[in-house]
Amino acid sequence: MRIATDIGGTFTDLVALDEQGRVYTVKGDTTPPNFEQGVIEVMEKSGINPGDLSAFIHGTTTIINALTERKGAKTGLITTRGFRDVLEIARCNRPDLFNLVFAKPRPFIPRYLRFEVEERIAADGEIITPLNKAELAQAAEGLKKEGVEAVAVCFINSYANDKHEQETLACIKEALPGVFVTSSGQITREWREYERSSTVALNAYVGPVASQYIYKLEKELDRIGVKGGKFFMQSNGGTTPFEGARENPINMVESGPVAGVFGTAVLGKAIGEEQLIAFDVGGTTAKCSLIDRGEVKITTSYRIERTDRNAGYPIMIPVVDIVEIGNGGGSIAWIDPSGSLKVGPKSAGALPGPVAYGRGGTEPTTTDACLIAGRLSPANFAGTVDIAAVEAALVNRVGKPLGMDAEEAAVSVIRVAESNMYNALKLISVRRGYDPRDFTLVAFGGGGPMHAASLARELGIRRVVVPVAAAVFSAWGMLMTDMRHDYIQTRIRLLDQASPRELDQMWDGLLDKARKDFSSHGVSDISFDYYADMRYAGQEHTVKVRTPAPSWDDAAKAKIVKGFHETHEHYYTYRLEGTPVEIVNLHLAVYGKTDKPELKKLPRQNGSLEKAFKEKRRVYFSQEGWQDTPIYDRERLFPGARLTGPVLVEEKAAAALAGTGQTLTVDDYGNLIIETEVK
Amino acid sequence: MNATDSVTLDIVKDSLIAIGDEVFYAFAQTSMSPIIYETLDYACGIADVKGDLLTQGNGACGFIGMISPMIGEVIEKFGKETMKSGDVYLINDPYMGGGTHLSDIGMVMPVFYRGEIIAFVGNKAHWSDVGGMAAGSFTTNSTEVFQEGLRFSGVKLVDAGEINPSLTDMIAANVRFPVSANGDMWGQIASLRTGFNRLVELCDKYGKEVLLKSMARLMDQGEQAARTRLAEMPKGSWEAEQFMDDDGHGNLVKIKVKVTITEKNFIADFSGSSPQVVSPINTGYSSLGAGVKVAYMSIINPGLSVNDGVFRTMEVIAEEASVLKCKAPAPTSCYFESMLYALDTVWKALAPVFPEYLGAGHMLSVCAVILAGNHHKSGLPFLIVEPTGGGWGASRGKDGEVGRSLALQHRSFLGNHLHGAEYPVVHRKAGVDDRHIGHLNPRAQGTVARVDGAHYLGAAAGKIGDKVFFRDGHLHLDLYQIAMPVIIHELLRFPGPLGHLRQPCPGGLFPLIHEPGHGLEEYLLPVFVAEFHQPVKAGSQGGDLPPHIAVGGNRKADVCGDHIREGRVDLPGVHQFYPGKPEPLLEDLGGVGGKGTGGHAPHIGPVGLVSHKGDDLPPVEHGHHHADIRKMGAAPHVGIVDEVDIPALHGFLAEFLDDFPDHGGYHADEPTGAVALGEEIPLHIGDPAGIIQGFIDDGTHRCLGKGVKHLVPDSYQ
């Protein structure tokens, strides 16, 4: 039995998978500040014997919460002399262009806690100035005196050689026992000093919080007798053992959402689809991510708190490439000063939540609009829904300014929300050189299945898959993950000029490190993917190209260059044959295989559609308008069941729509498959 | 139109804005010039069929509204009837619509739908080099535009999808970095084509009529938003003038504006500004307009998505052949400097009226760095063209900021890794300047860095750039511009021959920054620096008046709002400086000025005291005791330092006093040894012995010596 628990803002989800491939789900409350309590509660509620577990996988918002709520540790920084202000200066970004009183994001480590030490390593790794131990001791003393709880170490050019960082790490650990210490080279070997500094600063900032959380969770799990491996979900779509999470907790910053993307890839494999778009609509945001040839895309240009008006803070770790927009079920509809209807990014959250929750919310949300539009039934909500209050909110905030009644307002809110989602879906597909018509849309989260079929039709996507337990699909994705670690090393070389020996040495270095790391966690069954981040000499941005395993002979090099030209043209519409090609980073993705049950087909049954039929009601469809629509209960549908749109299938915490002319079937795994009838 | 239709129009409108962003980012990703991909020195926009801007990506806001005049110019010159689907036009003429300097290459593409033009897409990007007399193509000493590179007054680059090879050959033969120019050219074309395709898709999806209606709605909403806001604004006229430091030939350049706000219009009239000059700081009319647009947007609604509808309410007047509306062949390669001054003068005029939108001024220069030479390892030529970040003043309820792009830009700092790895330049330091704590230096020390002994940034490197604080012809200290933290760059080494080393802009940054020290305000505060004198007893050593220095934080500076409201404060006392809360700085420091109340404001950090040049700074561990305050009052120099720094302060004073390579030491014009008063005349709190003399800078002494009028305390005159 594998179990995944995923802590969200409101709910803590549990999904379990037994050896027969059966899926169990439990939902409980999230219990801040003692989040581990919520985990134990869902474990107990599930009735699963902790002793039967083969793996416990956990996703948590603890890290991102500590960052966004600024509840991390008092953190100090040690850096190269002359560079203490790197965090302060950042990239000088001023994205709020016309705001002349713009406030720049403040560094997580204030200046008085940023210490400089004499040392210098050149961009090629050569030591120019040795580490000044006396200054280091002084800095350690200063940090001690300040009573810091965590220390980040980031030296200039340590991506090329982190010897001084390692020495500093050892020294600080000794001088400040009990203090969380971390260095940039431990987290990333990619270049760019601001991004590196920011990454290690944030890792240190959340370090003590994470350590404490992991400690408490582990203790609780031990107490109830959980057996088997314990893993955390990381932002790269893989897991890491608890021990690894303690060292680099920043890797868990996006643990929840990425699991859904990874789950999409796994599900795709089972149902024979390689080109997939994961589409996850939760309470506050809609997220989408593209899977090309079965591969989840990874990027290291992640930032927290970045908006189009705010530079945010970079975290240079491998994160699944997700486009996220502030359009979820709880997103608030409002009229902007120019009189246009907007939805989100402000969310009513869980409290007060949408008006329909009856917890004091007064601002209409997408969920409220979906209720009035018939897409949700009052029965979907806990407690009695005050329809009049929902209508009043829609009329007052949206209808009146635009001259609409409640239904028209609801419909408009849905249209604007879906337009935003449409743009986000285009952003990860068309704008990155992919034709959505080649893809299958996998829709999950509470809201995904409700919007997917009409969006797919607009995008020319032929097929929509609504997985089993769509609302907790992210947690299901966690069950399917392997251990994963990404090793990225910057070394800028013209491919032509790089000697094979040098490249092999670099790969060997990464491979050695990977083997050592994984064997220290007792994992020997590992596999590798090789990538290179490449560009035309003189360019800045790189594209990630899959490469053959080392060593690279001329034929391999030629293949890599060919792959690069193709990828570049794919993304950017042109290629510059004849321009020298440069490698910027080598990227080794390492997977530690874990035993997972195969997805099992469910037996075909001759079920009865009548038994699954619940009612008929008016439902608004984006393209065809209001329709008298039969409503079915997903629990009572069966493999092989086939329905024709307009139809709505309700399940726990989600509802799937198929429009007129579209067909909805249940496949052998229990997934809903909607054929969108796109030509 | 029924209500639901209006939602459709909004949805299309949002899609238009999304396309604007897409076109923008598409270009950054493919560019080969760091100034584009790193500093985003470019803009992309979509315009309607008349050429009016609909939406513009989030790049250099200095390019705002340059896209549409550029498109207008192309329409005017070629006529829509001659245009074919797939055409792309090239334009960079500084004197024409959308003109800036030759380095900014503009491209325009008509968007056809079923044989008819429905819109235009345009972009404008700074190429690292477009030929001319110096690498990087912008110079401090050009006297005619012909020295500044290739000039295209609207030419067809792509004809119905076919590139004109003669033109690309000509470009390749006349620029220093033809590969990157070629890459940028294709990047620009690709971004235009993306815009073209997306607009066609939008037409396919919603129909042409809906798209056109939606464009009109976008524009009307922009105009309406501006009109609504204008109606609420105070009405009247406000004037301001100031002088650019220098035109490179020793002349001050006057920038003058009268801003009038009426029910319906916003008019910026620059009549009375200097005639155009024989140095490259002239601005064309388009750039002037763009500068004013930034100020206008900031008070209309900085959050508004920008389009020409907003600017229908705005008017800009300038005299022909003036420095702000120059004629050929006036050189313009550093046009941004006068453009910034124009923006800043509007800002200054309006700051008292809109304190919630306009704080104290900012760095007021692009501070561009150009370095060219041959790479020491590869032997290949390299070029760095890079605007740098700087400080911004405080505003109502908010501290100043360090490390920010100027008001015309989005982003501006190249990382040190980038330099180290790609260029033969190594930064020794990239930090906020704290060497000159307490030193209000007019010479922009803050940006000084050295390359093998030569000055790299800052005043010393260029003729333009002296006398930063000496505006108005009266050599006033302009408080409007005070409290500017700066970034300091130092380069460790620069191997190989130095191709070019220039600082084409006023090096005028503001060297004042210090953190308040531990346990206090947790954030780095820009600081004000007060210098004041103590009367010297006759016969005491020295005989001249030593400056005293105090440093404090201008935290939560409503302060700034106030002194801005006064526009300009000549010879301000410290109390004027700190009219509101917190307590006036010098009172914080123990009432040296005779108003002593004791007690530190909490933002004043631990203090070190100095007596003699070369002394250590004995720390005042807890600067809240009366005894310490007395000591501070008496000390000739008061430095505020991190407590954590105190054990390592040995080198501190040396820097404090000596590290001004420019003019040979801080006390160059003073008798030495005049700094020991503190020990001789212990002051007491409330003791009238110390009188606040207002602010002076160290230039005072020198100017006095030369008989030049300068900012001088009353008692001293």
Side-chain angles (χ1 to χ4, degrees), chain A residues 303-423:
Chain A
R303 277 176 182 248
I304 57 162
E305 297 180 14
R306 173 164 55 183
T307 67
D308 59 350
R309 306 269 167 183
N310 192 341
Y313 303 85
I315 302 179
M316 201 177 223
I317 55 163
V319 177
V320 172
D321 188 8
I322 292 178
V323 167
E324 187 166 12
I325 56 166
N327 257 258
S331 296
I332 291 168
W334 55 289
I335 306 292
D336 80 359
S338 65
S340 290
L341 172 62
K342 301 274 174 195
V343 179
K346 206 178 147 208
S347 168
L351 247 181
V355 183
Y357 284 12
R359 295 182 189 163
T362 52
E363 296 182 283
T365 63
T366 308
T367 295
D368 295 312
C370 287
L371 176 65
I372 299 305
R375 293 187 176 190
L376 291 172
S377 146
N380 287 122
F381 296 85
T384 322
V385 177
D386 182 351
I387 295 281
V390 176
E391 285 183 344
L394 277 161
V395 168
N396 289 335
R397 302 295 174 108
V398 176
K400 272 187 195 152
L402 297 178
M404 296 173 174
D405 63 19
E407 279 194 358
E408 283 170 341
V411 164
S412 299
V413 170
I414 292 173
R415 289 182 63 204
V416 170
E418 287 189 355
S419 165
N420 292 341
M421 294 171 190
Y422 172 82
N423 282 332

Side-chain angles (χ1 to χ4, degrees), chain B residues 18-90:
Chain B
I19 293 172
D21 289 344
E22 178 183 358
V23 169
F24 179 79
Y25 287 107
F27 184 37
Q29 300 257 303
T30 50
S31 169
M32 297 185 130
S33 299
I35 189 155
I36 291 168
Y37 60 68
E38 282 290 334
T39 68
L40 306 181
D41 191 0
Y42 71 99
C44 299
I46 301 172
D48 67 11
V49 71
K50 295 195 292 285
D52 287 340
L53 183 78
L54 292 161
T55 162
Q56 177 159 348
N58 217 14
C61 58
F63 285 163
I64 197 69
M66 293 212 185
I67 300 290
S68 35
M70 182 177 94
I71 294 172
E73 203 75 65
V74 168
I75 297 175
E76 171 91 27
K77 178 164 177 177
F78 291 88
K80 278 188 228 165
E81 64 287 352
T82 72
M83 294 181 177
K84 296 188 285 284
S85 186
D87 283 354
V88 175
Y89 301 84
L90 188 65

Side-chain angles (χ1 to χ4, degrees), chain B residues 255-257 268-273 288 292 316-319 324 342 346:
Chain B
I255 306 290
K256 181 173 188 293
V257 74
D269 183 351
F270 291 92
S271 301
S273 298
L288 171 65
V292 178
V316 178
I317 299 165
E319 289 160 332
L324 298 177
V346 173

